[in-house]
Amino acid sequence: MKIKELIINGKTAKFPIIQGGMGIRISLGKLAKACMNSGIVATISAAQIGFLRKGFKDNPMKENLIALSEEISNIRENNPDGILGVNLMHAMNNYQEFAEFLSKQDIDFIISGAGLPVDLPEYIKNTKVKGAFIVSSARAARLLLKSWDRRHHFMPEFIVCEGPLAGGHLGFTKDDFDSGNVEDLESIVRTTKEIIKPFEEKYNKQIPIIAAGGINDGHDIASILKSGADGVQMATRFIASDECDASDEYKDMIIKSKEEDIVRVESPAGLPGRAIRNYLTNILETKRIKPKYCVNCLKTCNKSNIPYCITEQLGNSSNGDNKGLIFTGAKAYLITKIESVDEIVKRLIAECKIDLSFN
Ligand SMILES: Cc1cc2nc3c(=O)[nH]c(=O)nc-3n(C[C@H](O)[C@H](O)[C@H](O)COP(=O)(O)O)c2cc1C
């Protein structure tokens, strides 16, 4: 078995690895450029990307759009041909406005998770930008495919299947985790591969299935490719890179974390998230933290009753405050040093090739 290239929007990535989008301000231009230069696909996250801009609290939408456009132009200056996407969570308020804005930018795809982006094709259908979605079950993939087919006659460029070991918001409820009702990544990939077949036939188009969540080294990549995935999406591994846009303090938390430091936290998005245990997660075990301000970020946020404000806490941590929310994937504890993206990618590919050559 060989490592295949990944084709998105007519462009080819040398390796089938997508660097997953990470908000707030964790995956931006610096990381994107390094990933594209190393032959993999880059994703920036739209989530409150304007957080550090002066007028953010007064007019978050305006500042987010300015920040997005600046970030994209900056990346494209030296990387016109790399594959670049924007992660736009469906749970965000102003989703339509963001998607319509992004459909006119020099990017290759918009990818949406954190909800079911049934309406995404409407905003990108007649543009150069492709659409993709993130799901945590074949059932959700089928629902979206059926809806995109029936309502828009439109198919995703690829689908990311995200398992229970992922970072950021998780596609499983607290009850799912408590009752053990969580499907593992291999199984989600296998069942999703099955359900896409009739759609691939109808549209005469291949829909790559990309596996995400807990993929940390080249052996993990080889194993999931053998299970039928066409590629992987990795996020946490790239936080511990020289080029990642996260603060040094954030990177330090990742490389110093131990297995027992990685915990699940409730999020105002209505889904559990995964984070590194710190001042914030300890406080949240018994208390709520009253938000200092509200930028109306999430459709799903029940403002009067939330344990904390996600924009405030993720924003603080991305800005170097280790008392904020430090989102991470479940395998962060296996990462022990910060390296360049190129070193990481080269080792991932070398490890993966060794395992695949035994097949
Ligand atoms: C710090 C962090 C922030 C993230 N932010 C987002 C986001 O804004 N939107 C999203 O859809 N996924 C987000 N994710 C999920 C990743 O894009 C990715 O799919 C997932 O973390 C893969 O698992 P891994 O981290 O184990 O590689 C985030 C993950 C991390 C670790």
Side-chain angles (χ1 to χ4, degrees), residues 20-23 26 45 47 87 89 134 162 165-168 212-215 233-236 239 250 327-329:
M22 293 179 277
I26 303 293
S45 171
N87 180 298
M89 291 191 295
I134 306 174
E162 201 180 70
L165 300 180
I215 303 202
Q233 171 163 295
M234 299 173 64
T236 303
I239 301 177
Y250 202 117
F327 263 173
T328 180

Side-chain angles (χ1 to χ4, degrees), residues 187-255:
S187 162
I188 304 170
V189 166
R190 264 194 227 105
T191 46
T192 307
K193 279 294 258 191
E194 280 304 310
I195 68 107
I196 60 171
K197 281 181 187 159
F199 298 95
E200 290 187 312
E201 272 164 31
K202 178 169 175 184
Y203 286 83
N204 190 23
K205 169 185 170 62
Q206 277 198 331
I207 306 173
I209 297 299
I210 308 298
I215 303 202
N216 181 62
D217 61 26
H219 307 297
D220 298 334
I221 300 178
S223 160
I224 202 75
L225 292 181
K226 285 183 195 169
S227 299
D230 300 290
V232 296
Q233 171 163 295
M234 299 173 64
T236 303
R237 187 62 194 85
F238 290 112
I239 301 177
S241 67
D242 295 321
E243 297 93 337
C244 180
D245 301 272
S247 65
D248 290 345
E249 291 82 355
Y250 202 117
K251 296 180 190 181
D252 212 44
M253 289 289 274
I254 295 281
I255 58 171

Side-chain angles (χ1 to χ4, degrees), residues 17 44 53 72 93 100-101 104 112 118 135 163 167 177 185-186 200 206 213 217 234 252 272 306 330 341 349 351:
I17 301 175
I44 60 171
R53 293 184 63 86
I72 294 165
N93 265 323
E100 284 174 348
F101 175 83
K104 298 182 204 105
S112 290
V118 283
V135 286
F177 279 109
L185 182 59
E186 287 74 14
E200 290 187 312
Q206 277 198 331
D217 61 26
M234 299 173 64
D252 212 44
I306 47 171
V341 166
I349 298 304
E351 289 167 347

Side-chain angles (χ1 to χ4, degrees), residues 103-140:
S103 75
K104 298 182 204 105
Q105 301 291 310
D106 187 5
I107 59 170
D108 294 295
F109 63 90
I110 297 175
I111 181 160
S112 290
L116 292 174
V118 283
D119 49 343
L120 176 59
E122 215 170 299
Y123 316 129
I124 57 175
K125 202 168 172 181
N126 298 313
T127 75
K128 290 185 189 146
V129 174
K130 304 286 182 193
F133 52 74
I134 306 174
V135 286
S136 291
S137 69
R139 204 168 57 91

